[in-house]
């Protein structure tokens, strides 16, 4: 039982390049989330999904797209990376979004955009 | 809009001391509150989850309390150890799906 895994762990991009971050969970969780963590800002929600085939915007969605084609995977895409997207990205999952919303986090992806 | 505040931002204590980390939130309409630990360069590890109907939760040397009406939670760490050095984050769960995080308290325990 690996829990929540993220690939890659580190990545350096040039401005304008694109990339996809992959999140996978093996806990059969319905809900999945993408957060970014920046110094002095805490963790902020980018996008989330309440089930396979669904996605919704969080607090800071601009510049990102997501897809949830399979229940166990949640992809975060950057179409044209900008230096402002330099951050640590965390994926999380939970069984549901209301009562008992205990979220389990992956180890993070450190992204630098030059 | 819910706001979560953690005070102090940083704390240094000698080994063996008992300590309290504070978390406050502005909207008492929460489902639960979760405390996390984050080591430098690492992900978040869930420590304790308190449902809105509960007053406290305990795990080993950790005890978390919740006073929903006053918008406060505390994380009590007994007999602190150097291995407790980390950043501690609190997050509240509300209607919808996202957790709302505080900015954390960075704890340093010296031997």
């Amino acid at each position: 039982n690996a829990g929540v895994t993220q690939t890659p762990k580190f990545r350096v991009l040039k401005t304008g390049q694109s990339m996809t971050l992959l999140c996978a969970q093996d806990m059969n969780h319905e809900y999945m989330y993408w957060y970014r963590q920046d110094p002095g800002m805490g963790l902020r929600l980018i996008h989330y999904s309440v089930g396979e085939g669904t996605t919704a915007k969080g607090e800071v969605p601009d510049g990102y797209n997501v897809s949830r084609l399979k229940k166990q995977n949640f992809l975060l895409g950057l179409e044209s990376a900008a230096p402002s997207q330099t951050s640590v990205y965390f994926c999380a999952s939970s069984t549901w979004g209301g009562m008992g919303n205990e979220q389990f986090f992956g180890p993070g992806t450190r992204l630098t955009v030059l | 809009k819910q706001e979560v505040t953690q005070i102090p931002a940083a704390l240094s204590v000698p080994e063996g001391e008992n300590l309290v980390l504070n978390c406050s939130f502005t909207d008492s309409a929460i489902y639960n509150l979760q405390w996390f630990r984050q080591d430098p360069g690492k992900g978040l590890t869930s420590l304790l989850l308190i449902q809105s109907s509960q007053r406290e939760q305990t795990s080993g040397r950790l005890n978390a309390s919740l006073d929903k009406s006053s918008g406060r939670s505390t994380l009590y760490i007994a007999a602190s150890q150097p291995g407790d050095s980390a950043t501690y984050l609190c997050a509240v769960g509300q209607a919808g799906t996202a957790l709302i995080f505080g900015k954390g308290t960075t704890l340093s325990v010296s031997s």
Side-chain angles (χ1 to χ4, degrees), chain A:
Chain A
N1 189 340
V4 180
T5 58
Q6 294 182 232
T7 53
K9 290 184 171 53
F10 303 93
R11 187 71 185 268
V12 178
L13 290 178
K14 294 181 180 178
T15 297
Q17 288 185 318
S18 63
M19 77 163 295
T20 300
L21 283 67
L22 171 64
C23 176
Q25 53 93 7
D26 61 2
M27 297 174 282
N28 201 34
H29 285 172
E30 289 294 331
Y31 287 58
M32 297 186 74
Y33 317 82
W34 277 107
Y35 294 89
R36 61 178 289 174
Q37 185 178 35
D38 302 291
M41 299 295 291
L43 276 89
R44 295 177 292 170
L45 184 69
I46 305 171
H47 285 280
Y48 64 97
S49 168
V50 302
E52 182 178 324
T54 73
T55 63
K57 294 180 179 180
E59 181 184 355
V60 287
D62 294 342
Y64 305 95
N65 57 76
V66 287
S67 64
R68 184 95 181 271
L69 298 180
K70 295 182 179 181
K71 184 178 183 179
Q72 64 268 32
N73 295 337
F74 195 28
L75 279 63
L76 178 71
L78 286 73
E79 291 186 346
S80 180
S84 61
Q85 294 177 304
T86 294
S87 187
V88 181
Y89 293 85
F90 288 101
C91 176
S93 68
S94 66
T95 53
W96 62 82
M99 295 286 261
N101 183 24
E102 182 174 12
Q103 293 190 12
F104 298 85
F105 281 75
T109 294
R110 298 184 176 278
L111 176 66
T112 301
V113 182
L114 302 175

Side-chain angles (χ1 to χ4, degrees), chain A residues 31 33 35 37 40-45 48 50 59 90 94 97-108 110, chain B residues 1 31-32 34 36 38 40-46 49 51-53 89 93-103:
Chain A
Y31 287 58
Y33 317 82
Y35 294 89
Q37 185 178 35
M41 299 295 291
L43 276 89
R44 295 177 292 170
L45 184 69
Y48 64 97
V50 302
E59 181 184 355
F90 288 101
S94 66
M99 295 286 261
N101 183 24
E102 182 174 12
Q103 293 190 12
F104 298 85
F105 281 75
R110 298 184 176 278
Chain B
K1 178 183 175 184
Y31 286 145
N32 53 60
Q34 197 167 354
F36 293 90
Q38 185 176 28
K42 303 294 185 181
L44 279 69
T45 301
S46 179
L49 170 68
Q51 301 292 355
S52 61
S53 59
L89 299 166
Q94 289 192 282
T97 62
L99 290 178
I100 301 169
F101 283 83
K103 294 180 181 179

Side-chain angles (χ1 to χ4, degrees), chain B residues 40-110:
Chain B
K42 303 294 185 181
L44 279 69
T45 301
S46 179
L47 296 174
L48 291 164
L49 170 68
I50 311 177
Q51 301 292 355
S52 61
S53 59
Q54 298 175 319
R55 296 284 293 181
E56 64 178 326
Q57 282 284 340
T58 298
S59 175
R61 295 182 293 109
L62 304 180
N63 176 276
S65 67
L66 175 64
D67 184 342
K68 201 172 73 163
S69 61
S70 68
R72 295 178 184 273
S73 176
T74 62
L75 179 67
Y76 175 82
I77 302 177
S80 58
Q81 304 170 357
D84 295 330
S85 298
T87 296
Y88 292 81
L89 299 166
C90 80
V92 299
Q94 289 192 282
T97 62
L99 290 178
I100 301 169
F101 283 83
K103 294 180 181 179
T105 295
T106 299
L107 173 65
S108 176
V109 182
S110 56

